[in-house]
């Protein structure tokens, strides 16, 4: 339970950090606003075209009598739009991070620089960074889709499907949201996706404490736009502690180890330069 509180603390620390550095808050808003406009346009287009799409996909219903044709196609239209909205929610963060890769890398570097110590920087060209980010985001989204389908099927179980499954769904979303956000700082440190997932699995409660509150707020994409800069800052602060070398003299209450023992960062996976 303590790690849950510590994880939530990083959410608040990140928001406070961008609050104290207003220029970076405004800088970090730009990718989210661009993505929000793109998604809004896509959803408006889907709302206008869903009827035609449903009619095209159900030619067998052309000769059905009223009201059955309208009821069936109306239900399918609503289902198509709901599915589009669901896709928008689960992909918004990944697309925003991809669109804003240079912005969020700069923001993450500024957090590292402001906190002192070494500032890891990627030596990859921009196109390569975008490719790695897109590839890893796609892999994460495949995992999210798998768990989404599984939880959707479990949702039909009486009682459990209406109580336990929604909670599990938010936890899964929060976990992978934390992975996507910490990826900005971890990629600069040269940590591959497999190692990132292993690092977060080693601190599940900490990861959930950070990701679940954001996942709940990100259900409203407009809110996600304003929280995104602070979320990236908080994720960077989280990564700094997760990848910090073990210190035997450190405060045992520090969030760098838990009851199961410390979880050291990958040995020297990146090169650093002084900020």
């Amino acid at each position: 339970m303590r790690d849950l509180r510590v994880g939530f603390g990083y959410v608040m620390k990140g928001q406070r950090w961008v609050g104290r550095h207003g220029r970076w808050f405004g800088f970090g808003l730009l990718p989210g606003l661009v993505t929000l406009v793109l998604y809004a346009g896509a959803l408006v287009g889907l709302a206008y075209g869903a009827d035609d799409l449903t009619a095209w996909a159900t030619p067998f219903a052309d000769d059905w009598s009223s009201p059955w044709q309208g009821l069936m196609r109306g239900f399918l239209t609503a289902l198509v739009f709901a599915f589009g909205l669901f896709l928008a929610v689960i992909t918004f963060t990944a697309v925003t991070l991809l669109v804003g890769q240079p912005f969020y890398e700069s923001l993450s570097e500024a957090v590292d620089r402001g906190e002192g110590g070494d500032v890891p920087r990627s030596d990859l060209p921009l196109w390569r960074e975008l490719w790695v980010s897109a590839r890893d985001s796609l892999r994460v989204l495949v995992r999210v889709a798998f768990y989404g389908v599984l939880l959707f099927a479990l949702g039909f179980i009486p009682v459990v499907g209406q109580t336990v499954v929604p909670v599990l769904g938010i936890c899964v979303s929060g976990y992978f949201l934390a992975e996507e956000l910490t990826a900005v700082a971890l990629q600069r440190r040269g940590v591959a996706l497999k190692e990132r997932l292993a690092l977060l699995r080693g601190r599940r409660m900490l990861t959930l404490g950070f990701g679940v509150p954001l996942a709940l707020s990100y259900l409203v994409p407009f809110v996600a736009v304003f929280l995104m800069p602070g979320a990236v800052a908080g994720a960077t602060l989280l990564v700094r502690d997760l990848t910090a070398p073990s210190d035997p003299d450190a405060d045992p209450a520090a969030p760098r180890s838990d009851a199961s023992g410390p979880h050291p960062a990958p040995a020297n996976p990146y090169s650093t330069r002084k900020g």
Side-chain angles (χ1 to χ4, degrees):
M1 292 300 293
R2 178 187 172 280
D3 263 3
L4 287 174
R5 294 195 303 272
V6 173
F8 180 70
Y10 283 110
V11 177
M12 304 308 296
K13 288 178 182 178
Q15 301 304 323
R16 286 196 297 268
W17 194 94
V18 295
R20 294 194 306 269
H21 303 79
R23 181 173 69 90
W24 285 107
F25 175 72
F27 188 74
L29 281 180
L30 295 176
L33 291 173
V34 170
T35 307
L36 181 63
V37 170
L38 293 175
Y39 270 62
L43 289 174
V44 169
L46 180 62
Y48 276 104
D51 288 339
D52 293 336
L53 178 63
T54 302
W56 172 81
T58 57
F60 56 85
D62 288 343
D63 299 327
W64 286 15
S65 61
S66 180
W68 306 115
Q69 183 193 80
L71 288 174
M72 190 271 289
R73 285 182 171 169
F75 172 75
L76 290 179
T77 297
L79 195 62
V80 166
F81 186 78
F83 182 68
L85 188 61
F86 171 73
L87 285 179
V89 170
I90 67 171
T91 62
F92 184 84
T93 300
V95 173
T96 302
L97 290 172
L98 182 61
V99 170
Q101 179 78 13
F103 292 83
Y104 294 132
E105 277 210 10
S106 297
L107 171 58
S108 182
E109 283 187 16
V111 174
D112 272 327
R113 190 175 300 110
E115 295 300 305
D118 293 332
V119 181
R121 296 175 185 168
S122 172
D123 294 325
L124 297 176
L126 178 60
W127 71 267
R128 179 67 176 173
E129 289 181 359
L130 292 174
W131 163 249
V132 171
S133 179
R135 180 195 64 193
D136 289 350
S137 293
L138 181 60
R139 290 174 176 174
V140 171
L141 287 176
V142 169
R143 288 175 168 85
V144 172
F146 169 77
Y147 284 110
V149 171
L150 178 62
L151 291 171
F152 178 78
L154 293 176
F156 290 99
I157 300 176
V159 183
V160 173
Q162 292 74 49
T163 54
V164 177
V165 171
V167 175
L168 288 177
I170 289 295
C171 289
V172 169
S173 299
Y175 179 86
F176 285 110
L177 177 59
E179 193 287 322
E180 290 175 327
L181 289 167
T182 54
V184 177
L186 287 171
Q187 274 185 207
R188 287 193 297 107
R189 288 161 166 79
V191 183
L193 176 62
K194 184 177 180 179
E195 295 169 326
R196 296 202 302 263
L197 292 174
L199 188 64
L200 296 179
R201 278 198 302 270
R203 298 296 299 276
R204 281 192 179 89
M205 291 296 102
L206 182 67
T207 303
L208 291 175
F210 179 76
V212 169
L214 289 171
L216 289 170
S217 62
Y218 277 28
L219 292 175
V220 184
F222 188 76
V223 174
V225 170
F226 289 94
L227 293 182
M228 184 66 81
V232 173
T236 303
L237 295 172
L238 173 61
V239 166
R240 286 176 61 86
D241 280 346
L242 283 178
T243 59
S246 299
D247 182 359
D249 297 324
D251 181 356
R256 295 179 186 174
S257 64
D258 59 13
S260 60
H263 301 278
N268 193 26
Y270 56 89
S271 62
T272 59
R273 288 179 283 180
K274 294 289 183 181

